[in-house]
Amino acid sequence: MEVKIFISSRTNIRETCLLKEYINSFNKEYKRKLFKYGISKVTPVHIEPARSSITATSVREKITKEIESSDMFFLILPSNGGANEWIMFELGYAMARDKKIAAFTRNGASIPGPLENINRIPFENLSRKEIFYQIL
């Protein structure tokens, strides 16, 4: 079985690239452990609406389709904690679809209101092992 992870972030920041790199490395480094859990491949998915040349409606349709087909949802919160409308839309959609959610934060960024109980992982303590265990 393939595990798809949708990555939501404000822009294609360094953290997004690092998270994608870590996830892609699992297919090689943790192949035996993944296989033990019935996972043949882990694939990160990231869509960046701000850099897309298509309409907002098309971006929204693409995002919902990708979240729908994903097994997990990873949220990268900016250091100022400011989640834009796309991040909130993606997070709300993932929650409504009962996806497993993990939020990666920097400098203690917070998640507002009813979302504050989401599992948070500080980027300062980020390791391949930590991300791997989130997948399992």
Side-chain angles (χ1 to χ4, degrees), residues 60-117:
R60 189 170 40 256
E61 288 169 0
K62 188 172 183 178
I63 287 169
T64 56
K65 180 182 173 190
E66 290 295 347
I67 292 173
E68 198 74 45
S69 67
S70 293
D71 302 287
M72 301 182 71
F73 183 87
F74 283 0
L75 168 66
I76 300 175
L77 282 173
S79 56
N80 66 3
N84 68 19
E85 65 276 359
W86 284 109
I87 291 175
M88 296 310 289
F89 169 76
E90 293 165 356
L91 178 59
Y93 196 83
M95 291 178 79
R97 298 302 180 270
D98 204 28
K99 301 295 178 179
K100 182 177 177 184
I101 298 171
F104 297 87
T105 62
R106 187 173 285 290
N107 301 327
S110 63
I111 302 172
L115 308 176
E116 64 190 3
N117 293 326

Side-chain angles (χ1 to χ4, degrees), residues 13-132:
I13 51 178
R14 184 174 54 94
E15 286 90 351
T16 305
C17 294
L18 180 63
L19 199 52
K20 285 166 59 175
E21 176 188 316
Y22 279 6
I23 293 167
N24 282 322
S25 74
F26 296 154
N27 296 312
K28 194 174 195 178
E29 292 177 31
Y30 294 110
K31 189 172 187 153
R32 286 188 182 150
K33 284 187 181 180
L34 289 170
F35 187 72
K36 183 178 175 181
Y37 289 93
I39 300 170
S40 60
K41 183 179 181 182
V42 181
T43 306
V45 176
H46 180 254
I47 297 169
E48 192 162 346
R51 297 185 188 199
S52 179
S53 60
I54 56 179
T55 66
T57 302
S58 298
V59 170
R60 189 170 40 256
E61 288 169 0
K62 188 172 183 178
I63 287 169
T64 56
K65 180 182 173 190
E66 290 295 347
I67 292 173
E68 198 74 45
S69 67
S70 293
D71 302 287
M72 301 182 71
F73 183 87
F74 283 0
L75 168 66
I76 300 175
L77 282 173
S79 56
N80 66 3
N84 68 19
E85 65 276 359
W86 284 109
I87 291 175
M88 296 310 289
F89 169 76
E90 293 165 356
L91 178 59
Y93 196 83
M95 291 178 79
R97 298 302 180 270
D98 204 28
K99 301 295 178 179
K100 182 177 177 184
I101 298 171
F104 297 87
T105 62
R106 187 173 285 290
N107 301 327
S110 63
I111 302 172
L115 308 176
E116 64 190 3
N117 293 326
I118 291 174
N119 182 28
R120 280 178 256 174
I121 301 157
F123 254 106
E124 292 78 10
N125 302 334
L126 192 62
S127 69
R128 291 180 202 277
K129 191 174 186 179
E130 178 66 39
I131 297 169
F132 180 75

